[in-house]
Amino acid sequence: MTSDGNLWRASSVEGLATTPLAEDLRADLVVIGAGFTGAACALEAAKQGASVVLLEANTIAHGGSGRNVGLVNAGLWLPPDEVLAQMGEADGARLVEALGQGPQMVFDRVAEHGIACEATRNGTLHLAHSPKGFAELQDRFRQGNRHGAPLQLLDAEETARRTGSAAFHGALLDPRAGTVQPLAYCTGLARAAQGLGARVHENSPVTAIAHGDGLWTVTANGHNVRAPKLLLATNAYHEGIAGAFAPQFVVVNYSQFATAPLPEAARAKVLPGAEGCWDTALVMSSIRLDAAGRLIVGGMGNAEGLGRAVHAGWARRKLRALYPDLGDLPFEHQWRGKIAMTRDHIPKVVNFGPSAYAVFGYSGRGISPGTVFGTAAAQALLRDDPAAFPLPVMKGYKEHLRGLHEAYYEFGATLTHATMRPR
């Protein structure tokens, strides 16, 4: 197994030249965090002619954006009826519609800016891991179609043909969706923003934020960036910043294991349409291919923590259960990322000061929502129009019992992976 761990970092062909912040700057907008949300915001603001400074504590897409499964899904984890039930008819419908168009926004940016991110728009498959799971998919199918989504319900035979595995009881195909190499996609957004004039500074951790005289002062590397507009887009990788609003969420770990490239005979049978997949199990798992034909198996849990051996053993058993002929294919890459989950699984936008927003809590759906919300953030800030966001803006948000919930999720994933036979 390679020492770099993260396949996406090893295989990305996108790049941009940056330097750490080394001088004081003045701009129209300062963005903290160069993941999907921050990079999309910087790109949209630069397209509108604003001067932008994008600050990243580590490297572009260092956090969840560069550790993502790479599924460009439409909508949230929640089925649309539940979104409307929680948010109300008008607000819920607006969010469902906006995120339903999210994959189109992603693939439009890929095409417009020539982002080399292995973009494949052949849909995604939500796989039924059990008869109960298939019943859930039937309900999601009815709800999605009622709200205008062109979903297709597949039986077990068609699912087996598309996945190359007989382990599933059916699937829900969303043709709007697809896959990308997520780190490359995020890097491409930042590269495009830079090409339009945005200042992008990696290795520039923000240590303090203050507001006075109509300006935000953001301190990084001992230098100050001053701007009237501010976006905090750190999500699950938020680090301590003096004077700043601290987003609250539950951290959920997700780990992935990538095999060596499949033999040619297997590539013709395993996900021949290259759809990205995840299943209906409570402790969710995912499968997908990359452009080189590596099979990537993912699951909840921290494969870099105390349960590393348990999660690694589960990944091997999962591979053997799904594809017995490939069960001994070596894993060449292993990595994990952190998900910012909110208790209702709906993203949050908090207005924490004059012309300042924090966006967080995609609950595992980062690519399309991050692109949608980042773009909306630029519009909301530059136009002084919070209605540009696809949901109501909040003045504050608290996530209660975070530590307890984080321990619950990790313990549940570890126990499941230790005791349950993968299907």
Side-chain angles (χ1 to χ4, degrees):
M1 190 173 293
T2 56
S3 59
D4 63 347
N6 188 346
L7 167 64
W8 305 135
R9 189 161 299 281
S11 65
S12 176
V13 297
E14 274 286 349
L16 70 166
T18 72
T19 58
L21 182 68
E23 60 180 324
D24 292 346
L25 296 173
R26 174 72 186 266
D28 297 321
L29 168 65
V30 57
V31 180
I32 304 171
F36 299 128
T37 305
C41 178
L43 175 57
E44 178 65 17
K47 286 172 68 175
Q48 294 188 30
S51 58
V52 184
V53 176
L54 175 60
L55 300 174
E56 167 56 46
N58 295 283
T59 55
I60 303 299
H62 167 80
S65 297
R67 303 164 193 267
N68 196 282
V69 176
L71 305 186
V72 186
N73 277 313
L76 299 171
W77 291 119
L78 297 176
D81 283 0
E82 192 167 341
V83 174
L84 269 63
Q86 291 196 38
M87 298 183 63
E89 191 76 23
D91 288 337
R94 184 159 64 102
L95 181 61
V96 167
E97 181 179 1
L99 295 185
Q101 298 171 4
Q104 186 65 53
M105 182 179 286
V106 170
F107 291 110
D108 282 349
R109 276 151 182 71
V110 170
E112 180 181 358
H113 302 289
I115 300 176
C117 62
E118 303 178 11
T120 304
R121 197 174 189 183
N122 288 346
T124 53
L125 295 171
H126 196 175
L127 303 169
H129 78 295
S130 66
K132 181 179 178 182
F134 188 67
E136 176 189 332
L137 294 184
Q138 289 176 309
D139 185 47
R140 287 177 176 268
F141 169 71
R142 288 188 290 267
Q143 288 189 39
N145 283 187
R146 191 167 63 250
H147 289 277
L151 306 178
Q152 301 172 34
L153 190 65
L154 310 180
D155 61 17
E157 182 178 358
E158 176 63 11
T159 302
R161 187 190 71 78
R162 287 176 178 263
T163 61
S165 174
F168 303 107
H169 296 258
L172 194 60
L173 170 67
D174 190 340
R176 300 171 295 178
T179 60
V180 293
Q181 207 276 31
L183 188 145
Y185 169 64
C186 189
T187 303
L189 292 177
R191 186 256 301 160
Q194 185 185 61
L196 291 172
R199 296 280 299 263
V200 181
H201 294 284
E202 297 177 297
N203 300 306
S204 301
V206 172
T207 54
I209 295 175
H211 188 268
D213 297 326
L215 293 175
W216 289 96
T217 300
V218 176
T219 304
N221 294 346
H223 297 280
N224 294 323
V225 179
R226 291 183 172 87
K229 317 284 186 181
L230 169 64
L231 176 66
L232 183 64
T234 50
N235 207 32
Y237 287 76
H238 183 78
E239 300 175 4
I241 302 175
F245 168 79
Q248 293 192 11
F249 43 78
V250 172
V251 172
V252 176
N253 291 286
Y254 198 87
S255 296
Q256 297 182 76
F257 305 79
T259 70
L262 302 184
E264 282 301 318
R267 290 188 69 172
K269 297 178 181 178
V270 175
L271 295 170
E275 301 95 339
C277 309
W278 77 103
D279 67 21
T280 55
L282 180 61
V283 178
M284 190 202 78
S285 63
S286 59
I287 54 172
R288 63 158 296 187
L289 294 173
D290 75 345
R294 301 179 184 93
L295 181 61
I296 305 162
V297 178
M300 293 174 65
N302 182 3
E304 297 173 0
L306 295 176
R308 62 175 66 89
V310 170
H311 299 307
W314 166 84
R316 175 58 61 191
R317 297 194 308 275
K318 184 73 173 180
L319 178 61
R320 287 173 176 157
L322 295 180
Y323 303 105
D325 293 343
L326 304 174
D328 294 324
L329 199 64
F331 287 122
E332 292 187 340
H333 296 263
Q334 173 186 319
W335 70 102
R336 67 104 182 190
K338 296 188 293 185
I339 294 168
M341 182 175 291
T342 61
R343 59 180 173 269
D344 58 6
H345 308 305
I346 292 174
K348 307 302 173 194
V349 179
V350 175
N351 176 207
F352 63 90
S355 297
Y357 295 105
V359 181
F360 58 95
Y362 298 125
S363 298
R365 285 283 177 100
I367 299 177
S368 291
T371 305
V372 169
F373 276 79
T375 302
Q379 297 166 351
L381 286 163
L382 297 180
R383 301 174 188 171
D384 292 319
D385 180 16
F389 286 107
L391 48 61
V393 171
M394 310 172 76
K395 285 297 183 182
Y397 178 76
K398 291 187 179 296
E399 188 76 37
H400 302 292
L401 302 175
R402 288 178 290 165
L404 182 62
H405 288 143
E406 288 170 4
Y408 168 80
Y409 282 118
E410 184 59 35
F411 176 77
T414 303
L415 181 64
T416 298
H417 286 175
T419 61
M420 292 186 66
R421 179 182 178 184
R423 300 184 59 182

